[in-house]
Amino acid sequence: MENQKIKVLQNIFISRLDTLSHLLTVSESYFGEDVESILQRRIAPDMFPFGTQIVFTCNQPRNFALWCLGQPANNLPPDVASLDEARGHISSTKELLASINVTDATLSDVKRIELGQGLYIELSGLSYVDDFLMPNFYFHMTTAYDILRMAEAPIGKRDFMMHLVPFVKHQSN
């Protein structure tokens, strides 16, 4: 029962969701009493706000987990009223990811993605992950990060790349 690729995907999603949680913690510390106002900030008027970016980031691994579990896609509601609610979405998504127990053979199954207006695409599970989920996941996570940067939160690339911190070494003199 080979599930190496599935485990890798679980770890990628969970570690990046940990990064998203870290960004929320930094935001809370920086914005203090005004932290909830960050939820409605956006990069441009036609883009979704920070809170929705959190939801859309969570929807990618969430729907991956549901697909692996043989359940239909089920997006979270796009409006986020508080940082506690955002944290709850991240936490429940991580729990759902941890519940996956399928083999890598699942990645050869066909995934149908409804695009709206009667349009859809069918992809292999691997293409679903590589060509649909991951680009969307990183797009929304990066957009959330960018909104915080635009709001002058004290974050940098190290905060975005938190998953590498355990591997950082210091070269001794």
Side-chain angles (χ1 to χ4, degrees):
M1 185 161 109
E2 181 74 21
N3 66 353
Q4 185 177 359
K5 179 70 175 173
I6 295 289
K7 291 286 183 200
V8 166
L9 292 168
Q10 285 173 296
N11 290 335
I12 288 170
F13 282 134
I14 289 170
S15 67
R16 289 1 174 242
L17 289 169
D18 286 343
T19 294
L20 199 55
S21 291
H22 167 75
L23 294 175
L24 291 180
T25 299
V26 171
S27 298
E28 194 168 44
S29 175
Y30 179 73
F31 294 106
E33 301 270 330
D34 197 32
V35 70
E36 303 296 337
S37 71
I38 195 70
L39 294 170
Q40 295 308 315
R41 295 216 188 173
R42 51 183 87 218
I43 292 176
D46 65 339
M47 292 183 77
F48 289 106
F50 180 75
T52 304
Q53 298 298 337
I54 300 287
V55 166
F56 288 176
T57 301
C58 290
N59 280 340
Q60 307 316 305
R62 176 183 171 77
N63 285 323
F64 169 73
L66 290 171
W67 175 67
C68 286
L69 296 167
Q71 298 176 20
N74 182 5
N75 290 324
L76 295 164
D79 297 323
V80 177
S82 69
L83 281 188
D84 285 342
E85 184 179 353
R87 281 190 181 93
H89 290 324
I90 293 168
S91 178
S92 67
T93 300
K94 288 171 54 178
E95 288 172 15
L96 191 57
L97 282 165
S99 74
I100 297 171
N101 187 19
V102 297
T103 67
D104 287 349
T106 302
L107 296 173
S108 63
D109 293 348
V110 172
K111 168 67 175 160
R112 180 178 168 137
I113 303 166
E114 301 294 333
L115 301 173
Q117 299 178 340
L119 302 173
Y120 68 93
I121 55 177
E122 290 183 338
L123 302 170
S124 71
L126 197 53
S127 289
Y128 169 55
V129 170
D130 290 343
D131 299 328
F132 185 82
L133 288 178
M134 286 300 182
N136 277 298
F137 180 75
Y138 281 113
F139 174 85
H140 293 294
M141 186 170 164
T142 301
T143 302
Y145 170 88
D146 289 343
I147 290 169
L148 293 177
R149 287 284 298 179
M150 191 177 76
E152 299 181 4
I155 56 173
K157 191 170 187 176
R158 179 180 174 143
D159 296 286
F160 190 82
M161 306 286 286
M162 291 294 297
H163 59 281
L164 293 177
V165 170
F167 304 106
V168 173
K169 299 176 184 176
H170 187 271
Q171 183 172 335
S172 302
N173 289 340

